[in-house]
Amino acid sequence: DIQMTQSPPSLSASLGDKVTITCQASQNINKYIAWYQQKPGKAPRQLIRYTSTLVSGTPSRFSGSGSGRDYSFSISNVESEDIASYYCLQYDNLWTFGGGTKLELK
Amino acid sequence: QVQLKESGPVLVQASETLSLTCTVSGFSLTNYGVIWVRQPPGKGLEWMGIIWRNGNTDYNSALKSRLSINRDTSKSQVFLKMNSLQTDDTAIYYCTRVHYSSSPDYWGQGVMVTVSS
């Protein structure tokens, strides 16, 4: 089974900051990684698929990059509506979620 | 429009079997797979298993011995059964749609299941 190590578990940011979350896979996942946003009481919402492809409706301040085992997800110019938890998901070999990152306002 | 909705008991006794239904609309189960994901209170997401568009299944190795997923395509329903429940199976259970082996796009609202000892 592929393991996904996501960091940091929590993040504190001010409005307008740029934040970055990383995920490292236990093996090469060939860019098959997606990123999800989850707000309290809601189902996760897909933001990015295949490393860097923004899903329809995802604001351009969200971005993703990476290859091999190492991937990152960034939010530039954090807005109040971005306060949520974020999860990576590998889908190269079945599916595995990262542990999540809770983004809070400083 | 695409919709998924989970249903089932909100309270289950420990050692018993959980049975959940995911009812879908706006797409065919013969064209898309359905994945089950769960989330314990305050914790992260866990992939549980999938029923593929052809009816085959794959399971998380940690749950494989207790889990089964089936479907009724005529009713557009997918069924999850998990036996030998313990209190740490308390979670929100979601069903989601996948195209081939891609990333899930549409999600149900989830159903909170509490396992009582």
Side-chain angles (χ1 to χ4, degrees):
Chain A
D1 296 8
I2 297 176
Q3 308 302 314
M4 298 295 288
T5 302
Q6 183 173 342
S7 61
S10 64
L11 199 47
S12 183
S14 300
L15 297 179
D17 280 356
K18 178 177 181 177
V19 298
T20 298
I21 298 168
T22 63
C23 269
Q24 182 175 68
S26 56
Q27 64 189 63
N28 180 7
I29 56 171
N30 299 299
K31 296 194 170 187
Y32 289 110
I33 187 169
W35 293 90
Y36 291 82
Q37 176 191 68
Q38 187 181 33
K39 295 185 177 181
K42 299 292 187 181
R45 168 196 168 199
Q46 186 175 201
L47 299 178
I48 289 175
R49 60 181 174 83
Y50 197 57
T51 296
S52 59
T53 301
L54 269 59
V55 170
S56 176
T58 301
S60 59
R61 63 181 180 275
F62 293 93
S63 63
S65 64
S67 63
R69 295 175 56 208
D70 298 306
Y71 299 85
S72 63
F73 167 85
S74 295
I75 312 172
S76 60
N77 299 313
V78 167
E79 298 188 5
S80 57
E81 65 184 34
D82 301 334
I83 300 308
S85 292
Y86 293 86
Y87 294 89
C88 64
L89 170 71
Q90 73 80 19
Y91 55 101
D92 181 64
N93 185 343
L94 298 179
W95 292 265
T96 312
F97 287 96
T101 297
K102 186 173 184 179
L103 176 61
E104 298 173 318
L105 270 180
K106 194 178 291 183
Chain B
Q1 70 277 28
V2 173
Q3 290 187 324
L4 301 94
K5 186 172 183 179
E6 307 87 351
S7 60
V10 296
L11 183 64
V12 184
Q13 296 299 312
S15 79
E16 294 189 344
T17 296
L18 172 66
S19 296
L20 296 176
T21 300
C22 175
T23 302
V24 310
S25 59
F27 68 97
S28 171
L29 294 176
T30 57
N31 291 329
Y32 289 85
V34 170
I35 283 176
W36 286 93
V37 174
R38 70 177 180 176
Q39 184 173 36
K43 296 189 178 180
L45 302 164
E46 178 182 32
W47 172 72
M48 299 181 71
I50 182 173
I51 187 160
W52 298 92
R53 57 200 290 256
N54 64 4
N56 289 344
T57 54
D58 277 301
Y59 302 112
N60 183 323
S61 57
L63 300 173
K64 191 172 185 177
S65 63
R66 300 196 289 140
L67 185 61
S68 71
I69 300 174
N70 292 286
R71 69 182 185 180
D72 183 335
T73 56
S74 67
K75 294 183 178 179
S76 295
Q77 291 182 323
V78 174
F79 309 106
L80 175 148
K81 289 190 187 301
M82 188 163 69
N83 59 30
S84 304
L85 287 182
Q86 299 301 317
T87 54
D88 60 3
D89 292 313
T90 294
I92 299 172
Y93 287 76
Y94 296 100
C95 58
T96 76
R97 186 185 83 159
V98 287
H99 193 224
Y100 292 99
S101 57
S102 187
S103 50
D105 51 7
Y106 288 89
W107 294 62
Q109 64 190 19
V111 60
M112 177 68 201
V113 177
T114 300
V115 181
S116 171
S117 58

mmCIF file of all heavy atoms in Angstrom, chain B residues 44-71:
data_model
loop_
_atom_site.group_PDB
_atom_site.id
_atom_site.type_symbol
_atom_site.label_atom_id
_atom_site.label_comp_id
_atom_site.label_asym_id
_atom_site.label_seq_id
_atom_site.Cartn_x
_atom_site.Cartn_y
_atom_site.Cartn_z
ATOM 1 N N GLY B 44 -8.794 12.508 10.041
ATOM 2 C CA GLY B 44 -8.645 12.593 8.596
ATOM 3 C C GLY B 44 -9.503 11.599 7.830
ATOM 4 O O GLY B 44 -10.290 10.841 8.395
ATOM 5 N N LEU B 45 -9.323 11.626 6.519
ATOM 6 C CA LEU B 45 -10.098 10.803 5.596
ATOM 7 C C LEU B 45 -9.409 9.461 5.363
ATOM 8 O O LEU B 45 -8.180 9.390 5.262
ATOM 9 C CB LEU B 45 -10.248 11.533 4.257
ATOM 10 C CG LEU B 45 -10.919 12.901 4.316
ATOM 11 C CD1 LEU B 45 -10.667 13.684 3.034
ATOM 12 C CD2 LEU B 45 -12.415 12.737 4.561
ATOM 13 N N GLU B 46 -10.210 8.419 5.247
ATOM 14 C CA GLU B 46 -9.669 7.078 4.993
ATOM 15 C C GLU B 46 -10.425 6.442 3.834
ATOM 16 O O GLU B 46 -11.659 6.313 3.881
ATOM 17 C CB GLU B 46 -9.794 6.202 6.236
ATOM 18 C CG GLU B 46 -9.281 4.779 6.025
ATOM 19 C CD GLU B 46 -9.449 3.893 7.248
ATOM 20 O OE1 GLU B 46 -10.425 4.090 8.009
ATOM 21 O OE2 GLU B 46 -8.616 2.987 7.453
ATOM 22 N N TRP B 47 -9.677 6.034 2.790
ATOM 23 C CA TRP B 47 -10.293 5.306 1.697
ATOM 24 C C TRP B 47 -10.614 3.901 2.165
ATOM 25 O O TRP B 47 -9.778 3.214 2.731
ATOM 26 C CB TRP B 47 -9.334 5.238 0.506
ATOM 27 C CG TRP B 47 -9.830 4.354 -0.585
ATOM 28 C CD1 TRP B 47 -10.867 4.620 -1.431
ATOM 29 C CD2 TRP B 47 -9.353 3.049 -0.914
ATOM 30 N NE1 TRP B 47 -11.055 3.548 -2.280
ATOM 31 C CE2 TRP B 47 -10.140 2.586 -1.988
ATOM 32 C CE3 TRP B 47 -8.341 2.231 -0.429
ATOM 33 C CZ2 TRP B 47 -9.946 1.332 -2.572
ATOM 34 C CZ3 TRP B 47 -8.143 0.986 -1.013
ATOM 35 C CH2 TRP B 47 -8.939 0.542 -2.064
ATOM 36 N N MET B 48 -11.858 3.463 1.932
ATOM 37 C CA MET B 48 -12.277 2.152 2.408
ATOM 38 C C MET B 48 -12.283 1.110 1.294
ATOM 39 O O MET B 48 -11.786 -0.003 1.463
ATOM 40 C CB MET B 48 -13.669 2.236 3.019
ATOM 41 C CG MET B 48 -13.783 3.160 4.208
ATOM 42 S SD MET B 48 -15.443 3.185 4.884
ATOM 43 C CE MET B 48 -15.533 1.548 5.636
ATOM 44 N N GLY B 49 -12.898 1.445 0.172
ATOM 45 C CA GLY B 49 -12.997 0.475 -0.904
ATOM 46 C C GLY B 49 -13.738 1.056 -2.087
ATOM 47 O O GLY B 49 -14.276 2.152 -2.027
ATOM 48 N N ILE B 50 -13.722 0.291 -3.181
ATOM 49 C CA ILE B 50 -14.355 0.726 -4.414
ATOM 50 C C ILE B 50 -15.111 -0.413 -5.059
ATOM 51 O O ILE B 50 -14.682 -1.578 -4.975
ATOM 52 C CB ILE B 50 -13.322 1.278 -5.424
ATOM 53 C CG1 ILE B 50 -14.029 1.771 -6.698
ATOM 54 C CG2 ILE B 50 -12.248 0.236 -5.751
ATOM 55 C CD1 ILE B 50 -13.144 2.476 -7.700
ATOM 56 N N ILE B 51 -16.226 -0.084 -5.683
ATOM 57 C CA ILE B 51 -16.851 -0.993 -6.636
ATOM 58 C C ILE B 51 -16.700 -0.330 -8.002
ATOM 59 O O ILE B 51 -17.158 0.793 -8.222
ATOM 60 C CB ILE B 51 -18.309 -1.344 -6.287
ATOM 61 C CG1 ILE B 51 -18.830 -2.422 -7.236
ATOM 62 C CG2 ILE B 51 -19.219 -0.134 -6.249
ATOM 63 C CD1 ILE B 51 -20.048 -3.175 -6.698
ATOM 64 N N TRP B 52 -15.994 -1.021 -8.887
ATOM 65 C CA TRP B 52 -15.679 -0.469 -10.199
ATOM 66 C C TRP B 52 -16.902 -0.510 -11.102
ATOM 67 O O TRP B 52 -17.888 -1.196 -10.824
ATOM 68 C CB TRP B 52 -14.548 -1.266 -10.830
ATOM 69 C CG TRP B 52 -13.253 -1.227 -10.074
ATOM 70 C CD1 TRP B 52 -12.838 -2.104 -9.115
ATOM 71 C CD2 TRP B 52 -12.200 -0.264 -10.207
ATOM 72 N NE1 TRP B 52 -11.584 -1.747 -8.638
ATOM 73 C CE2 TRP B 52 -11.170 -0.621 -9.309
ATOM 74 C CE3 TRP B 52 -12.016 0.866 -11.014
ATOM 75 C CZ2 TRP B 52 -9.974 0.100 -9.177
ATOM 76 C CZ3 TRP B 52 -10.833 1.571 -10.888
ATOM 77 C CH2 TRP B 52 -9.837 1.200 -9.982
ATOM 78 N N ARG B 53 -16.807 0.152 -12.224
ATOM 79 C CA ARG B 53 -17.924 0.195 -13.174
ATOM 80 C C ARG B 53 -18.301 -1.195 -13.665
ATOM 81 O O ARG B 53 -19.429 -1.445 -14.050
ATOM 82 C CB ARG B 53 -17.596 1.121 -14.342
ATOM 83 C CG ARG B 53 -16.332 0.754 -15.088
ATOM 84 C CD ARG B 53 -15.783 1.917 -15.904
ATOM 85 N NE ARG B 53 -16.606 2.247 -17.037
ATOM 86 C CZ ARG B 53 -16.331 1.945 -18.296
ATOM 87 N NH1 ARG B 53 -15.237 1.278 -18.584
ATOM 88 N NH2 ARG B 53 -17.130 2.310 -19.285
ATOM 89 N N ASN B 54 -17.348 -2.126 -13.668
ATOM 90 C CA ASN B 54 -17.654 -3.488 -14.121
ATOM 91 C C ASN B 54 -18.139 -4.392 -12.987
ATOM 92 O O ASN B 54 -18.385 -5.583 -13.205
ATOM 93 C CB ASN B 54 -16.434 -4.120 -14.808
ATOM 94 C CG ASN B 54 -15.260 -4.304 -13.859
ATOM 95 O OD1 ASN B 54 -15.353 -4.033 -12.670
ATOM 96 N ND2 ASN B 54 -14.139 -4.763 -14.404
ATOM 97 N N GLY B 55 -18.266 -3.829 -11.785
ATOM 98 C CA GLY B 55 -18.762 -4.598 -10.652
ATOM 99 C C GLY B 55 -17.679 -5.238 -9.801
ATOM 100 O O GLY B 55 -17.979 -5.776 -8.729
ATOM 101 N N ASN B 56 -16.432 -5.186 -10.249
ATOM 102 C CA ASN B 56 -15.338 -5.703 -9.429
ATOM 103 C C ASN B 56 -15.108 -4.783 -8.229
ATOM 104 O O ASN B 56 -15.506 -3.614 -8.249
ATOM 105 C CB ASN B 56 -14.053 -5.808 -10.242
ATOM 106 C CG ASN B 56 -14.107 -6.917 -11.269
ATOM 107 O OD1 ASN B 56 -14.974 -7.795 -11.198
ATOM 108 N ND2 ASN B 56 -13.210 -6.889 -12.240
ATOM 109 N N THR B 57 -14.452 -5.317 -7.219
ATOM 110 C CA THR B 57 -14.205 -4.541 -6.009
ATOM 111 C C THR B 57 -12.736 -4.596 -5.593
ATOM 112 O O THR B 57 -12.022 -5.549 -5.908
ATOM 113 C CB THR B 57 -15.060 -5.047 -4.831
ATOM 114 O OG1 THR B 57 -14.831 -6.455 -4.664
ATOM 115 C CG2 THR B 57 -16.535 -4.783 -5.056
ATOM 116 N N ASP B 58 -12.307 -3.552 -4.897
ATOM 117 C CA ASP B 58 -11.013 -3.510 -4.225
ATOM 118 C C ASP B 58 -11.227 -2.869 -2.865
ATOM 119 O O ASP B 58 -12.071 -1.978 -2.727
ATOM 120 C CB ASP B 58 -9.987 -2.690 -5.014
ATOM 121 C CG ASP B 58 -9.330 -3.494 -6.109
ATOM 122 O OD1 ASP B 58 -8.707 -4.533 -5.782
ATOM 123 O OD2 ASP B 58 -9.450 -3.106 -7.288
ATOM 124 N N TYR B 59 -10.439 -3.328 -1.892
ATOM 125 C CA TYR B 59 -10.617 -2.847 -0.531
ATOM 126 C C TYR B 59 -9.295 -2.390 0.078
ATOM 127 O O TYR B 59 -8.218 -2.903 -0.253
ATOM 128 C CB TYR B 59 -11.210 -3.955 0.352
ATOM 129 C CG TYR B 59 -12.535 -4.487 -0.134
ATOM 130 C CD1 TYR B 59 -12.642 -5.796 -0.612
ATOM 131 C CD2 TYR B 59 -13.677 -3.687 -0.117
ATOM 132 C CE1 TYR B 59 -13.864 -6.280 -1.063
ATOM 133 C CE2 TYR B 59 -14.890 -4.165 -0.567
ATOM 134 C CZ TYR B 59 -14.981 -5.468 -1.036
ATOM 135 O OH TYR B 59 -16.182 -5.947 -1.482
ATOM 136 N N ASN B 60 -9.401 -1.444 1.018
ATOM 137 C CA ASN B 60 -8.268 -1.067 1.855
ATOM 138 C C ASN B 60 -7.823 -2.326 2.601
ATOM 139 O O ASN B 60 -8.643 -3.016 3.221
ATOM 140 C CB ASN B 60 -8.715 0.030 2.819
ATOM 141 C CG ASN B 60 -7.601 0.553 3.687
ATOM 142 O OD1 ASN B 60 -6.723 -0.183 4.131
ATOM 143 N ND2 ASN B 60 -7.637 1.852 3.947
ATOM 144 N N SER B 61 -6.532 -2.600 2.538
ATOM 145 C CA SER B 61 -6.034 -3.844 3.140
ATOM 146 C C SER B 61 -6.330 -3.908 4.638
ATOM 147 O O SER B 61 -6.489 -4.985 5.195
ATOM 148 C CB SER B 61 -4.539 -3.995 2.879
ATOM 149 O OG SER B 61 -3.826 -2.885 3.380
ATOM 150 N N ALA B 62 -6.429 -2.731 5.282
ATOM 151 C CA ALA B 62 -6.685 -2.706 6.727
ATOM 152 C C ALA B 62 -8.121 -3.101 7.061
ATOM 153 O O ALA B 62 -8.418 -3.454 8.207
ATOM 154 C CB ALA B 62 -6.393 -1.321 7.281
ATOM 155 N N LEU B 63 -9.014 -3.027 6.078
ATOM 156 C CA LEU B 63 -10.434 -3.302 6.324
ATOM 157 C C LEU B 63 -10.935 -4.527 5.566
ATOM 158 O O LEU B 63 -12.081 -4.952 5.768
ATOM 159 C CB LEU B 63 -11.269 -2.080 5.899
ATOM 160 C CG LEU B 63 -10.962 -0.763 6.610
ATOM 161 C CD1 LEU B 63 -11.745 0.365 5.959
ATOM 162 C CD2 LEU B 63 -11.286 -0.855 8.092
ATOM 163 N N LYS B 64 -10.100 -5.067 4.718
ATOM 164 C CA LYS B 64 -10.521 -6.089 3.756
ATOM 165 C C LYS B 64 -11.264 -7.258 4.377
ATOM 166 O O LYS B 64 -12.226 -7.782 3.811
ATOM 167 C CB LYS B 64 -9.297 -6.588 2.988
ATOM 168 C CG LYS B 64 -9.607 -7.445 1.797
ATOM 169 C CD LYS B 64 -8.347 -7.726 0.992
ATOM 170 C CE LYS B 64 -8.679 -8.491 -0.270
ATOM 171 N NZ LYS B 64 -7.474 -8.708 -1.110
ATOM 172 N N SER B 65 -10.820 -7.682 5.567
ATOM 173 C CA SER B 65 -11.412 -8.872 6.182
ATOM 174 C C SER B 65 -12.830 -8.610 6.705
ATOM 175 O O SER B 65 -13.580 -9.565 6.968
ATOM 176 C CB SER B 65 -10.528 -9.356 7.327
ATOM 177 O OG SER B 65 -10.456 -8.380 8.350
ATOM 178 N N ARG B 66 -13.197 -7.334 6.849
ATOM 179 C CA ARG B 66 -14.502 -7.001 7.461
ATOM 180 C C ARG B 66 -15.462 -6.331 6.491
ATOM 181 O O ARG B 66 -16.623 -6.101 6.844
ATOM 182 C CB ARG B 66 -14.298 -6.037 8.633
ATOM 183 C CG ARG B 66 -13.432 -6.542 9.759
ATOM 184 C CD ARG B 66 -13.637 -5.677 10.996
ATOM 185 N NE ARG B 66 -13.060 -4.354 10.874
ATOM 186 C CZ ARG B 66 -13.654 -3.252 11.324
ATOM 187 N NH1 ARG B 66 -14.856 -3.292 11.859
ATOM 188 N NH2 ARG B 66 -13.049 -2.084 11.224
ATOM 189 N N LEU B 67 -15.003 -6.000 5.298
ATOM 190 C CA LEU B 67 -15.746 -5.102 4.421
ATOM 191 C C LEU B 67 -16.213 -5.797 3.155
ATOM 192 O O LEU B 67 -15.487 -6.604 2.583
ATOM 193 C CB LEU B 67 -14.841 -3.925 4.054
ATOM 194 C CG LEU B 67 -15.404 -2.787 3.233
ATOM 195 C CD1 LEU B 67 -16.556 -2.105 3.957
ATOM 196 C CD2 LEU B 67 -14.289 -1.775 2.923
ATOM 197 N N SER B 68 -17.422 -5.477 2.716
ATOM 198 C CA SER B 68 -17.861 -5.885 1.385
ATOM 199 C C SER B 68 -18.699 -4.773 0.766
ATOM 200 O O SER B 68 -19.422 -4.058 1.474
ATOM 201 C CB SER B 68 -18.648 -7.194 1.418
ATOM 202 O OG SER B 68 -19.907 -6.999 1.996
ATOM 203 N N ILE B 69 -18.529 -4.609 -0.530
ATOM 204 C CA ILE B 69 -19.272 -3.595 -1.282
ATOM 205 C C ILE B 69 -19.950 -4.277 -2.451
ATOM 206 O O ILE B 69 -19.316 -5.048 -3.178
ATOM 207 C CB ILE B 69 -18.326 -2.473 -1.783
ATOM 208 C CG1 ILE B 69 -17.640 -1.779 -0.604
ATOM 209 C CG2 ILE B 69 -19.117 -1.452 -2.608
ATOM 210 C CD1 ILE B 69 -16.582 -0.760 -1.011
ATOM 211 N N ASN B 70 -21.235 -3.992 -2.600
ATOM 212 C CA ASN B 70 -22.017 -4.546 -3.695
ATOM 213 C C ASN B 70 -22.880 -3.455 -4.299
ATOM 214 O O ASN B 70 -22.885 -2.326 -3.821
ATOM 215 C CB ASN B 70 -22.913 -5.694 -3.177
ATOM 216 C CG ASN B 70 -22.110 -6.884 -2.750
ATOM 217 O OD1 ASN B 70 -21.575 -7.626 -3.571
ATOM 218 N ND2 ASN B 70 -21.991 -7.078 -1.439
ATOM 219 N N ARG B 71 -23.623 -3.801 -5.332
ATOM 220 C CA ARG B 71 -24.478 -2.791 -5.955
ATOM 221 C C ARG B 71 -25.695 -3.421 -6.604
ATOM 222 O O ARG B 71 -25.726 -4.638 -6.861
ATOM 223 C CB ARG B 71 -23.688 -2.014 -7.006
ATOM 224 C CG ARG B 71 -23.330 -2.853 -8.231
ATOM 225 C CD ARG B 71 -22.513 -2.077 -9.250
ATOM 226 N NE ARG B 71 -22.303 -2.867 -10.454
ATOM 227 C CZ ARG B 71 -21.625 -2.428 -11.511
ATOM 228 N NH1 ARG B 71 -21.090 -1.207 -11.518
ATOM 229 N NH2 ARG B 71 -21.485 -3.206 -12.578
#
